[in-house]
Amino acid sequence: MADGVLGSLPPAAIELAYLVAAVFFIQGLRDMTHPRTAERGNKLSAGGMFLAVLATVLYFEILSPLLLAAALLIGGSVGVWLAVSVETTEMPQLVGLFNGFGGGASAVVAGAELVDTVDPATTASLSVDLTVSAAIAGIIGSATLFGSLIAAGKLHGLVGDPPVSGKAGQALQGVFLVGAVVAGGFLVVQTGPLGGDPLSAWVPSYWVLVLGASLFGIVLVYPIGGADMPVVIALLNSMSGLAAATTGFVLNNTALIVAGTLVGAAGLILTFIMCESMNRPLLDVLFGTMGSGGDEDVEDIYEGSITETSPEEVEMLLEVAERVVIVPGYGMAVAQAQHAVAELAELLTEDGVDVEFGIHPVAGRMPGHMNALLAEADVDYEQMRELEEINPKFSQTDLVIVTGANDVVNPSANEDENSPIAGMPVLEVWDAGSVVVNKRSLSSGFAGIPNPLFAKDNTSMLFGDAQQSMQELVSAYKENR
């Protein structure tokens, strides 16, 4: 790269800018661990990235100023448009796409650096450090890109069941992964050009690597069901960070190494937290079968044991309740009922009722999905409680309202050791005095199993769309205040 506007400055100048950016990244990540400081953390991280990009652009003459400005304008405009136009309920799909874009960019940049480093007029070999880093970045980045596209498609309902699954699907995964690794190995061990042209040896093997890794990413994510999507999103996030960090080694770019490592480590930690929340090993998530969709008709199982209720009857329970816990799920997100739920909570709080929200780590389609939805509806962060904090309080709770949740409140996890979700930490709502479950029907959740909670003596079913049901409940409560 040629020197740019700041090219006359010592190399330490760019490293200092990267160091400041890294401090911004670290503090931003720290702030994002708590809802109250998450917004500040996001701004700090964005500021750090802006500084790193600006310093790189000014120090190195990578592209012509006009072309670079056009690229930044287009990319920034697309980012702003997505941030403004995408609904909060569709945020998991957007996060999946962002993960994919990050991985894809890493694979393309690593490949471009290989091409740029090789001079066809010479017979010089590429260094092992460069080829190893490029191979790793290519494999992880390509798998992340296409795996994320499949994940986003499944979350949005555009991708259905895989044409090949089970042992045949796993065999395909092995074939594509081995193919990518073999191509990467050829890239690394190739010590000289073929036919006097370095590009004829190194570059084709890299793009074969990219093809194999891309197909691997597709067949890896395709069979995974919706119940496991929070884990998949976190894992893909980690992979995008690792791809970026490896590309940083390809480019010898400190800022990219630091940022990618932080994202990769944080994503991996979150992945294992999600697995622990589901009591499932990561390999079971990637190669297991749970979460294929809940298509089984289980209404006959509950015949004669279901108590149906209405918004008016639930309002009567609210009149005498001193403590209420609301448990949101993905059904609330789909129906966009968070504002009605928040209004109900506000009314109850004004009337002296102790209201809290029980949030399961894997409720929704990505970690923190329910928290983000409730925050959008101006629910106080202090009312949101994690599973470990809220479970001991259910026995002192008068009424629990479950809206759009299923598997995360399934007592089979505690009561049936043969259940697919046995041992999974769940919200033990059945310990409350009364439970109202708001669902469209008695259909299974993503785990594809019945929920005995629906038939318990202290449970009533409020059937209907979450938004409509909650709005009717709010109206009934207002009328009788």
Side-chain angles (χ1 to χ4, degrees), residues 119-161:
D119 182 359
T122 71
T123 58
S125 299
L126 294 176
S127 68
V128 173
D129 290 345
L130 175 60
T131 54
V132 168
S133 299
I136 295 174
I139 291 175
I140 299 177
S142 301
T144 302
L145 170 60
F146 284 90
S148 297
L149 292 177
I150 295 297
K154 290 178 77 72
L155 290 171
H156 209 61
L158 300 177
V159 177
D161 294 331

Side-chain angles (χ1 to χ4, degrees), residues 201-462:
W202 288 305
V203 176
S205 62
Y206 181 79
W207 297 119
V208 169
L209 173 155
V210 167
L211 176 61
S214 300
L215 293 172
F216 169 73
I218 292 173
V219 297
L220 177 67
V221 177
Y222 214 138
I224 300 176
D228 292 323
M229 274 302 138
V231 178
V232 175
I233 292 294
L235 180 61
L236 290 170
N237 179 249
S238 176
M239 290 172 61
S240 69
L242 293 175
T246 312
T247 304
F249 285 104
V250 174
L251 300 175
N252 194 27
N253 186 295
T254 305
L256 201 53
I257 294 172
V258 172
T261 301
L262 288 172
V263 172
L268 193 59
I269 292 171
L270 187 57
T271 299
F272 285 111
I273 290 176
M274 294 296 102
C275 286
E276 183 178 348
S277 299
M278 299 174 65
N279 193 39
R280 301 188 67 209
L282 180 58
L283 290 180
D284 281 1
V285 172
L286 296 178
F287 305 111
T289 57
M290 190 186 87
S292 57
D295 295 327
E296 178 187 2
D297 184 4
V298 296
E299 295 197 13
D300 292 341
I301 298 176
Y302 304 112
E303 187 175 358
S305 58
I306 295 297
T307 301
E308 190 171 349
T309 189
S310 65
E312 291 73 23
E313 292 177 348
V314 177
E315 186 276 330
M316 295 174 63
L317 293 174
L318 291 174
E319 284 185 3
V320 297
E322 296 181 359
R323 174 175 168 76
V324 174
V325 173
I326 301 174
V327 176
Y330 187 62
M332 183 194 77
V334 173
Q336 300 190 39
Q338 63 269 25
H339 295 284
V341 169
E343 185 179 2
L344 176 63
E346 183 179 2
L347 293 171
L348 290 170
T349 301
E350 289 175 357
D351 291 343
V353 180
D354 181 12
V355 181
E356 292 183 319
F357 290 81
I359 313 293
H360 194 282
V362 296
R365 290 300 174 270
M366 70 176 185
H369 193 190
M370 294 298 103
N371 303 74
L373 285 172
L374 294 174
E376 180 195 37
D378 296 325
V379 172
D380 193 332
Y381 287 121
E382 297 302 324
Q383 290 182 286
M384 303 182 198
R385 298 287 180 263
E386 296 182 0
L387 180 146
E388 296 82 1
E389 188 179 0
I390 198 67
N391 266 348
K393 299 181 179 181
F394 281 124
S395 58
Q396 289 86 44
T397 300
D398 300 305
L399 174 64
V400 173
I401 300 177
V402 180
T403 174
N406 195 335
D407 295 326
V408 298
V409 293
N410 193 327
S412 296
N414 294 356
E415 300 172 357
D416 184 2
E417 62 181 14
N418 296 318
S419 172
I421 61 172
M424 171 182 167
V426 293
L427 294 162
E428 298 169 357
V429 298
W430 53 88
D431 288 339
S434 298
V435 180
V436 173
V437 179
N438 175 212
K439 283 181 89 268
R440 289 179 178 273
S441 68
L442 293 171
S443 60
S444 301
F446 278 101
I449 59 175
N451 190 340
L453 172 68
F454 303 163
K456 285 189 175 290
D457 293 338
N458 63 336
T459 299
S460 300
M461 301 298 300
L462 178 62

